[in-house]
Amino acid sequence: MSLWGGLLKLGYRLQRHRIGPLALGYWPLLTGLLLAGIPCLLNLNRVPTWPYALALSVVGVALVSITLSARPAGYIRFEQDESLAAHLHPDVPPIEPDEKVSVRATGILEVRTERHYFVEAEANFATMETREHIVMARIPLSRMWLVARSSKDDAGWWYAFVNPAHIRSIQTGRLHHGLRPRPALKIEYQRRRLIEGKKKTKEIISDETIYLSVANPLTLHRLLENLVRDAGRQDKRQQYVPL
């Protein structure tokens, strides 16, 4: 069990769900401050609001602290673990072209010209006949504590496109986001995009990192075998594959 992973997940959900323009994690603190300040401004000192204001402020400070402390890490912690790749079976069933493998994706996903960061999004991993790897995530609308909603702009299908020739490194490990860590791959690669301007098309090259967590080691081995095969490495037991 990972307590810090649970706090990272809570921080992400508090940031992603909003009431109006403000993230849910900031509302208890704001409400507590309003309960403390409004009676003073309106000279309503007889109204006993300070116990509620104090309680909400304490909860609010805790939630804001969780959100702010989890943000620099991207709301995850990746713990490298070479043992996950040390016993890769030579007869692991390969991923067939266009086969969809269930994963959870963390990183920058895109659709058209939009690019958003998602954490542990339910997704499918597939490799086309051209050997290009695609991560397809469907982001649903969701609620938290009945009153907060995720953004409508996030809802829908989002993608990551990984050209095997542009993969820089692959690591195996465990991803902490929630109480139970999951086996995961950390894939560093270059993303090349063509942006059409009014006069000419410009190529943008960016360094990207995507994490793919899975339910069991066998699925992890299938993903690793698939990716390492494109990297041209003979030793598929390496937990770190620099190109």
Side-chain angles (χ1 to χ4, degrees), residues 190-206:
Q190 276 192 341
R191 173 69 174 133
R192 301 186 177 187
R193 296 174 291 132
L194 296 177
I195 304 298
E196 294 185 1
K198 293 183 179 180
K199 296 183 178 180
K200 62 179 181 179
T201 300
K202 181 172 64 174
E203 183 182 45
I204 296 179
I205 301 176
S206 58

Side-chain angles (χ1 to χ4, degrees), residues 26 63-72 75:
Y26 298 109
L63 295 180
V64 170
S65 299
I66 291 171
T67 302
L68 295 180
S69 61
R71 183 185 298 172
Y75 305 100

Side-chain angles (χ1 to χ4, degrees), residues 4 80 92 108 235:
W4 178 237
Q80 186 177 347
V92 61
I108 298 291
D235 185 4

